[in-house]
């Protein structure tokens, strides 16, 4: 049987399938991609793709698959920002939240937390949170992001070394 050539219907079919059927990720993504092909500038479809990938981070067992879903979710957030022509507090906080998940997986799986890519991620997350506070001072969700960032670092042995190396690389002082 053929599928409708209607982006909205394809999107709704995908979302229904996602909520009612386990292990249908490929089919859900296929329907959403087909909807995106029909309406490539539809922010609602991009948002649905973001949500599907974000929710699958939780259900995946493999860290590499989780990281792939995170990166895909970030790419859809980036496309929404490009489409809207500006970053909203939603897109900024979603991007930070996903970056914190990547930082968590990298810190969890890396024995040498002073490696440059870990230092860069720490600095990048901290800069994004600080920028968010300046651009969206009325949005209190940043406090949750900041707590999560600090919890990620404190939960892992060696984080002080990594944080100090990050500060040194970024010419920061540890109190920033």
């Amino acid at each position: 049987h053929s599928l409708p050539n209607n982006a909205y219907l394809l999107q709704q079919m995908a979302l229904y399938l996602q909520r009612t059927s386990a292990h249908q990720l490929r089919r859900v993504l296929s329907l959403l991609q087909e909807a995106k092909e029909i309406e490539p500038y539809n922010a609602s479809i991009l948002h649905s793709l973001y949500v599907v990938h974000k929710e699958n981070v939780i259900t995946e067992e493999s860290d590499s698959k989780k990281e792939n879903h995170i990166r895909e979710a970030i790419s859809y957030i980036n496309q929404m920002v490009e489409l809207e022509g500006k970053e909203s507090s939603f897109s900024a906080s979603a991007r930070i939240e996903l970056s914190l998940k990547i930082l968590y997986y990298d810190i969890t799986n890396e024995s040498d937390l002073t490696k440059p890519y870990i230092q860069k991620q720490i600095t990048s997350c901290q800069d994004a949170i600080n920028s968010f506070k300046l651009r969206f001072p009325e949005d209190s969700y940043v406090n949750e992001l900041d707590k999560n960032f600090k919890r990620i670092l404190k939960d892992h042995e060696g984080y002080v070394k990594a944080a100090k190396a990050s500060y040194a690389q970024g010419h920061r002082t540890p109190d920033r």
Side-chain angles (χ1 to χ4, degrees):
H1 55 127
S2 68
L3 294 173
N5 192 21
N6 180 305
Y8 177 77
L9 289 176
L10 290 168
Q11 178 188 23
Q12 294 309 307
M13 288 169 58
L15 295 176
Y16 176 79
L17 187 61
Q18 180 193 17
R19 286 175 180 77
T20 60
S21 302
H23 310 295
Q24 292 288 327
L25 177 62
R26 281 194 182 125
R27 183 71 177 132
V28 168
L29 290 174
S30 173
L31 289 168
L32 287 172
Q33 286 298 339
E34 194 169 332
K36 185 177 180 256
E37 286 174 18
I38 295 169
E39 292 187 24
Y41 303 110
N42 185 321
S44 177
I45 294 169
L46 295 173
H47 183 266
S48 293
L49 283 159
Y50 153 75
V51 168
V52 168
H53 282 288
K54 181 183 173 200
E55 288 178 0
N56 277 284
V57 170
I58 298 164
T59 60
E60 278 296 343
E61 293 183 24
S62 155
D63 282 346
S64 65
K65 286 183 179 180
K66 286 181 183 199
E67 198 164 326
N68 286 340
H69 282 298
I70 292 168
R71 293 188 192 288
E72 285 294 319
I74 289 172
S75 80
Y76 290 113
I77 289 292
N78 291 342
Q79 289 176 51
M80 287 171 27
V81 169
E82 188 176 311
L83 180 65
E84 294 168 2
K86 64 180 176 149
E87 187 167 56
S88 65
S89 66
F90 165 77
S91 57
S93 63
R95 202 178 297 177
I96 293 168
E97 187 178 340
L98 293 166
S99 295
L100 289 173
K101 287 181 186 295
I102 290 174
L103 176 64
Y104 173 79
Y105 295 127
D106 285 349
I107 285 178
T108 301
N109 295 315
E110 179 56 64
S111 59
D112 181 4
L113 298 181
T114 62
K115 286 195 172 174
Y117 81 96
I118 297 285
Q119 296 167 22
K120 184 177 178 185
Q121 282 183 286
I122 291 169
T123 301
S124 176
C125 287
Q126 183 182 34
D127 287 347
I129 290 169
N130 289 337
S131 174
F132 187 93
K133 287 177 184 177
L134 292 173
R135 292 185 344 206
F136 307 104
E138 72 288 347
D139 192 330
S140 61
Y141 185 63
V142 73
N143 297 327
E144 291 301 314
L145 295 170
D146 203 19
K147 284 180 197 174
N148 191 18
F149 175 61
K150 290 173 182 168
R151 185 174 41 254
I152 288 168
L153 294 180
K154 288 181 181 175
D155 283 351
H156 297 281
E157 198 173 309
Y159 85 93
V160 172
K161 232 162 108 177
K164 284 183 179 179
S166 173
Y167 291 128
Q169 288 291 330
H171 305 291
R172 291 173 162 69
T173 57
D175 63 326
R176 265 186 76 190

